[in-house]
Amino acid sequence: MTPPQRGSSVPENATAPARAMRLGVAGPVGTGKSSLIATLCRALSGELRLGVITNDIYTDEDARFLRSAGVLDPERIRPVETGACPHTAIRDDVTANLLAAEDLEADFGPLDLVIIESGGDNLTATFSPALVDAQVFVLDVAGGGDVVRKGGPGIARADLLVINKTDLGVHVGVDVKRMMREGRNVRQGAPVVALSRHDEASIRMLTDWVRDTLAHYRTGEHTPVDPGPMAPHFHAGQDGEEPHLHTHAHGQDPAHAGQSA
């Protein structure tokens, strides 16, 4: 699986990076971000040198979960207590996470991949490209089949969208195939993975994407992309109008931008 924004050849001025690739994992509360990271660590720790950083507001609960799962040397899993909105520490002031990543590499380097988990936020949360080189946005079927249509920068423009816990779809009345189809439409063909930790084929799709992205990063071909604060999304029609899809320019007030869409 090749990320669509990558080129087919290495640019002439590309240089190999001097540090591990940093992969951000964001998404709303309860979508299974920690579980996804545990799955990645189980699948990749035998071939890649990994480190993990977790973000919580006032606790180190996610770090403790991953340590107790035994997926990695506990010292390679570092918590960051943000003390504020989770979005702040991954986008607005990324200092604490940058220092944690640098400390991990100083203690255990060279590393191949540092995975940084956002604290549970909402559909607006994305990582700053100053912090991560690539980012995954995680939804889950238990959050509702319509959540993909609600849009947001992570859903539309993260490097990868994961629709998680697909094995629960039948139990919560969600059409997983429809969620996938709508995800591909919103992302205009950018990668979407339907994931269940009980489905080895879906895990291979996820790990193949990580390997491919890491390979592009190592050659200097990968360029971090900022998903930005706004993304294409639907507004319900008013006065008999049909619902319509539109975008807002970056920095434009969405309350007024929609008036001319």
Side-chain angles (χ1 to χ4, degrees):
M1 179 188 297
T2 302
Q5 70 269 29
R6 319 291 186 242
S8 59
S9 61
V10 179
E12 291 182 2
N13 61 347
T15 58
R19 59 165 175 78
M21 187 179 87
R22 296 171 186 157
L23 176 66
V25 178
V29 175
T31 55
K33 298 183 294 295
S34 298
S35 177
L36 182 150
I37 291 171
T39 296
L40 280 176
C41 289
R42 288 190 189 97
L44 296 174
S45 60
E47 62 184 273
L48 298 177
R49 297 162 295 187
L50 304 175
V52 174
I53 296 166
T54 66
N55 279 241
D56 282 300
I57 298 178
Y58 295 121
T59 74
D60 61 352
E61 184 171 342
D62 289 338
R64 286 188 282 113
F65 164 78
L66 289 169
R67 288 168 176 166
S68 67
V71 295
L72 211 59
D73 176 355
E75 291 301 315
R76 291 176 179 248
I77 302 170
R78 302 283 176 87
V80 169
E81 295 184 28
T82 64
C85 170
H87 203 164
T88 301
I90 66 168
R91 187 169 185 88
D92 300 325
D93 181 358
V94 300
T95 306
N97 278 289
L98 283 176
L99 291 173
E102 291 170 0
D103 287 347
L104 262 179
E105 293 213 62
D107 292 343
F108 296 102
L111 297 177
D112 299 303
L113 181 66
V114 174
I115 305 172
I116 303 176
E117 177 185 1
S118 167
D121 207 311
N122 54 39
L123 296 180
T124 68
T126 59
F127 286 85
S128 167
L131 176 59
V132 300
D133 304 294
Q135 50 190 296
V136 176
F137 198 82
V138 186
L139 300 176
D140 73 302
V141 299
D146 63 342
V147 69
V148 176
R149 298 194 300 275
K150 293 180 179 179
I155 291 174
R157 294 193 292 266
D159 296 89
L160 176 69
L161 174 65
V162 171
I163 296 175
N164 200 15
K165 308 179 188 178
T166 55
D167 51 298
L168 298 182
V170 65
H171 302 293
V172 295
V174 169
D175 185 339
V176 175
K177 290 182 178 178
R178 179 177 178 178
M179 281 191 77
M180 288 291 292
R181 184 169 62 251
E182 291 175 344
R184 293 189 185 100
N185 289 340
V186 168
R187 291 172 56 76
Q188 301 180 341
V192 183
V193 168
L195 180 68
S196 168
R197 63 179 180 173
H198 306 294
D199 178 16
E200 290 297 328
S202 70
I203 293 172
R204 283 195 298 274
M205 291 182 66
L206 175 63
T207 54
D208 283 349
W209 179 88
V210 171
R211 292 185 187 98
D212 186 79
T213 303
L214 178 59
H216 283 87
Y217 173 77
R218 284 171 166 168
T219 61
E221 187 179 0
H222 177 86
T223 301
V225 176
D226 186 355
M230 293 299 291
H233 55 283
F234 285 94
H235 281 283
Q238 298 179 352
D239 300 325
E241 295 179 358
E242 291 295 322
H244 60 284
L245 175 69
H246 71 276
T247 62
H248 301 303
H250 286 192
Q252 190 173 7
D253 181 355
H256 300 290
Q259 295 177 0
S260 60

